[in-house]
Amino acid sequence: MLNYEDYCQAADLLRSRIGGFSPEVLLILGTGIGYLAESIEDPVVVPYREVPHMPVSTASSHAGNFVFGRLAGRCIMAMQGRVHIYEGYTAEQVAFPVRLARLLGCRDMIVTNAAGAVNYNYHVGDIMLISDQIRLFDPDPLIGPNIPQFGDRWCDMSDVYCAQYRDLARQAACDMGIQLREGVYFYFTGPQFETPAEIRAARMLGGDAIGMSTVPEVIAAVHCGLKVLGFSLLTNMAAGMVKTAYVPGEVSRTAESVKDTFCALVTSCLSRLPHPPATERS
Ligand code: HPA
């Protein structure tokens, strides 16, 4: 279990690397779009393994770096790759970088992931704006003693994916001629893909997309007061929806084919996020 001092120790290490740079937005780059970090101006790269208590990505498609710098006119802290519970980490460890971002001054978070489509109206390659999320049985990052420096024990989850930010994302997609889906992200830890029965259950319960990430980070973000905008890149139809079973490599191949559009949309949303008044920056 982590305590507040562990977070402060990690934040101090990052502050020593970034000098006076003060990030405003945490950008979590999921499967296939880590390359957006290459567009960051004047980047300062800090590998996860150099940060005390920070879990390290074991997935080969996740580079495992923090990249600090400017993108679309905003000061950002990007995560090139993330860690997942299925790698053997606790939900609290998976959410660790979100709380670090808060300690460094971030007020907003844009989270991205690759996901399977559960909604029959969706197609492979679609981008879904996440309107809400469902976590039923899997571990929660807030279990354990509450750390009051981050937030209250009882955390309101009624506007997780900020309505105002979803409005600006819809507008950005419209201006760019991108057809944007909007729906609910249903979370299973994996690492195995779901069974057709699990996918039917997820659909009946209100899920539109299915994935193995994002939810622990988003819960921690809401708890510590970050405003959240989230996107899923739908890389495959979920189990049982098409005749052919999941083909290895499908997720990365689809992500690769859509990554330019996806990155352009995320960048445009970044540029449209409201600037907090100077007095509110911490
Ligand atoms: N299921 C879970 N996670 C995923 C999927 C899926 O079908 N596709 C991409 N990530």
Side-chain angles (χ1 to χ4, degrees), residues 33-220:
I33 75 155
Y35 97 119
L36 181 55
E38 289 161 26
S39 309
I40 295 173
E41 297 155 36
D42 304 322
V44 176
V45 179
V46 185
Y48 297 161
R49 70 185 128 75
E50 295 179 11
V51 180
H53 312 291
M54 176 67 198
V56 175
S57 334
T58 60
S60 59
S61 55
H62 291 256
N65 296 318
F66 290 113
V67 186
F68 295 87
R70 291 186 75 83
L71 184 63
R74 307 306 296 263
C75 293
I76 66 162
M77 168 177 175
M79 289 180 65
Q80 230 179 356
R82 56 150 64 87
V83 297
H84 307 81
I85 286 176
Y86 65 70
E87 293 172 78
Y89 295 116
T90 64
E92 187 187 23
Q93 285 176 300
V94 170
F96 183 73
V98 174
R99 289 173 157 181
L100 282 189
R102 186 69 196 91
L103 287 179
L104 294 176
C106 288
R107 308 295 295 245
D108 295 316
M109 173 168 112
I110 301 184
V111 61
T112 66
N113 58 53
V118 170
N119 185 320
Y120 271 108
N121 295 322
Y122 293 176
H123 299 107
V124 170
D126 283 351
I127 298 172
M128 186 186 89
L129 174 63
I130 308 177
S131 60
D132 207 343
Q133 64 187 29
I134 299 177
R135 179 206 68 87
L136 290 182
F137 312 113
D138 295 319
D140 185 307
L142 303 183
I143 289 174
N146 185 50
I147 302 182
Q149 290 90 338
F150 289 117
D152 294 335
R153 167 87 296 183
W154 313 108
C155 169
D156 178 25
M157 297 291 285
S158 53
D159 186 26
V160 170
Y161 294 89
C162 172
Q164 181 197 359
Y165 289 7
R166 279 188 282 135
D167 284 347
L168 68 81
R170 272 184 233 107
Q171 191 58 53
C174 177
D175 292 349
M176 298 169 83
I178 297 171
Q179 187 196 29
L180 191 60
R181 308 295 191 165
E182 185 163 353
V184 174
Y185 181 86
F186 197 106
Y187 174 64
F188 280 113
T189 59
Q192 75 287 358
F193 282 81
E194 301 71 31
T195 64
E198 285 166 343
I199 294 301
R200 281 196 303 278
R203 187 180 306 110
M204 283 169 63
L205 291 171
D208 295 294
I210 194 104
M212 307 176 193
S213 70
T214 300
V215 164
E217 294 106 309
V218 167
I219 292 172

